[in-house]
Amino acid sequence: MNATSTSTSTSTAADAALLSSTPVLSSTAEAVAAARAYAASIADGAIARDRAGAVPYQELAALDASGLLGITVPAAHGGPELSPVVLAEVIRTIAAVDPAIAQIPQAHFLFVDVLAVHGSREQQRRLFADVLAGARLGNGLAERGGKHAQDLKTRLQAAPSGSALRLDGRKYYCTGAISARWIGVSALDDADRLVLAFVDRHAPGVTIDDDWNVMGQRATVSGTATFDRVPVDPGLVIPYASAFEVPQQLGARSQLVHTAIQVGIAGGALRDAREFVRTKARPFFEATRAGWADTAAADPHTIHRFGQLATRVCAAEALLAAAAATLAEVTRFPRDAEAAARGSIAVAEAKAFASDTAVEVASDLFSLAGASAADERYDLSRHWRNARTHASHDPVDWKYHHVGNYLLNDTLPPNHGQL
């Protein structure tokens, strides 16, 4: 099944009506409350979405209308410009219920940052107004087939008419693009310089496929986007290469969202382990025969291991909060390379630890809950599948390497979009 530029699940009129009532969440309390309410509203469908692997149009429409997409829009453009601390908590809250849906706006928040730092006044005026109205920015950054995901073949070239630009290429891992309003697409221009073009999701020549067939994070539907002679407004192109020629926090702020997703997965797995042990699991027969436990929750080994995992989750949450606070201090405009490095390293520490913790908790859930927890009706394996799938795109060993090199050898981390 393909979702082309002209076939969508809802009508344009319906989208417009939905977006017209999108609130601006002007405080931390409002944003966190909205995230909790939204997470609660999608909780019951998490297992069904994982099993289906289909585009969660209804849930994403509710996210778009919630006001959460606008929380980092600069105040100068009518947004609340809430801090990374708030963003991290919003994403963690949603990810604890459904990390696939929590991942869908990851690129959205990155592109808001890109616009805030490198966008022209007209780009900011135009796109921030859309974002505050509930428009979501989808991901068109990575590609398959090259030496690595950023070995780009997509080109943005002058059209023969000379009045517009033309985009040609094929992207993958296009999280959120299938239901977005705009897609941020990385490409090389006529001078082989990296640019970022914002493309109307419904522009002629845009085709989004739902060819996402993976073991975890299924509801992200992060499949293929094809751009065939797509007309691009020159006014919606950002010279993206220059973003990484100066000290920046785009990579760190983007990775903060990924960190919050992993922390949310860890917390969600621990929550479900607790519930299963308390209500469904049985104690090991040796514990019962020895008179140590009549319930699984009273088994001394279960208590000990649960305490260890709970402590690791608390540590991951603390590292996430600390990293977010560091980014708030450094701001979107780090004063120098050392300040940018502090932000990047703080997030790298949190991200690496959170990824390890999420995988560990999601796996040890079954050690705590016993064989009955492997029954597919409970779908508890989704926690491990989500954690492992999400972490596989960003190896933790590189995070630990840069942390160690910075702390041991005073070597600044590389200046790119994943750190």
Side-chain angles (χ1 to χ4, degrees):
M1 172 184 171
N2 292 346
T4 68
S5 60
T6 57
S7 62
T8 59
S9 66
T10 55
S11 69
T12 302
D15 288 341
L18 182 66
L19 298 181
S20 65
S21 59
T22 303
V24 174
L25 305 173
S26 58
S27 69
T28 297
E30 287 180 345
V32 172
R36 290 173 179 170
Y38 176 71
S41 75
I42 65 172
D44 289 345
I47 290 176
R49 287 189 296 274
D50 173 65
R51 287 174 173 162
V55 183
Y57 284 112
Q58 183 176 347
E59 292 83 355
L60 292 178
L63 175 64
D64 298 346
S66 69
L68 290 169
L69 298 179
I71 61 174
T72 61
V73 172
H77 294 276
E81 201 169 347
L82 298 181
S83 79
V85 176
V86 181
L87 175 61
E89 179 60 15
V90 164
I91 297 298
R92 186 202 66 79
T93 298
I94 298 171
V97 168
D98 192 331
I101 286 184
Q103 188 176 342
I104 287 173
Q106 182 271 328
H108 169 92
F109 289 111
L110 165 63
F111 294 146
V112 169
D113 285 340
V114 173
L115 285 164
V117 178
H118 298 283
S120 68
R121 287 189 177 183
E122 178 56 23
Q123 289 168 346
Q124 293 170 340
R125 183 197 65 77
R126 182 173 175 182
L127 293 177
F128 284 152
D130 273 7
V131 168
L132 290 173
R136 186 162 24 87
L137 310 177
N139 181 11
L141 297 177
E143 297 182 12
R144 278 179 159 179
K147 293 181 179 179
H148 50 77
Q150 295 303 318
D151 184 12
L152 302 185
K153 302 296 187 293
T154 301
R155 306 294 304 210
L156 183 68
Q157 300 172 306
S161 65
S163 60
L165 299 173
R166 188 181 72 190
L167 182 70
D168 290 277
R170 188 177 179 88
K171 297 287 185 175
Y172 196 69
Y173 302 113
C174 297
T175 305
I178 199 167
S179 58
R181 170 65 181 85
W182 296 93
I183 305 172
V185 184
S186 59
L188 299 178
D189 65 11
D190 287 328
D192 285 334
R193 291 274 291 174
L194 179 66
V195 295
L196 180 68
F198 288 96
V199 178
D200 189 323
R201 160 67 183 88
H202 305 296
V206 176
T207 304
I208 313 294
D209 296 333
D210 59 0
D211 56 338
W212 180 241
N213 185 22
V214 292
M215 67 179 184
Q217 293 295 81
R218 292 171 175 170
T220 63
V221 194
S222 303
T224 301
T226 304
F227 304 92
D228 183 14
R229 299 185 179 184
V230 176
V232 175
D233 182 348
L236 291 178
V237 177
I238 292 176
Y240 203 31
S242 61
F244 304 102
E245 294 170 353
V246 296
Q248 52 82 27
Q249 292 288 264
L250 297 175
R253 289 171 68 100
S254 178
Q255 287 294 301
L256 182 75
V257 173
H258 285 303
T259 305
I261 293 167
Q262 290 287 4
V263 174
I265 292 172
L270 188 72
R271 175 201 63 224
D272 286 357
R274 178 183 185 273
E275 177 66 15
F276 201 95
V277 168
R278 286 166 58 93
T279 62
K280 295 181 177 66
R282 296 180 296 176
F284 188 54
F285 72 88
E286 288 190 27
T288 301
R289 287 178 178 177
W292 293 335
D294 291 327
T295 65
D299 185 307
H301 293 299
T302 299
I303 291 172
H304 176 78
R305 186 58 181 144
F306 186 87
Q308 286 183 320
L309 295 176
T311 301
R312 288 182 66 82
V313 172
C314 285
E317 292 172 347
L319 278 172
L320 172 66
T326 299
L327 294 190
E329 177 189 344
V330 174
T331 78
R332 284 175 167 135
F333 303 90
R335 66 177 180 273
D336 54 30
E338 179 59 39
R342 283 198 302 110
S344 293
I345 292 299
V347 176
E349 290 173 332
K351 173 63 165 55
F353 185 81
S355 296
D356 286 344
T357 299
V359 170
E360 180 183 9
V361 176
S363 177
D364 281 8
L365 180 160
F366 297 97
S367 297
L368 295 172
S372 60
D375 192 317
E376 285 287 6
R377 80 179 106 166
Y378 304 119
D379 199 39
L380 292 174
S381 67
R382 74 186 188 279
H383 295 298
W384 184 89
R385 289 185 285 102
N386 288 333
R388 188 67 273 166
T389 299
H390 182 252
S392 67
H393 298 300
D394 187 29
V396 298
D397 284 348
W398 279 104
K399 301 294 187 189
Y400 286 128
H401 170 83
H402 293 310
V403 170
N405 213 17
Y406 176 76
L407 296 176
L408 186 63
N409 299 314
D410 298 321
T411 301
L412 297 183
N415 192 23
H416 60 62
Q418 286 188 262
L419 197 67

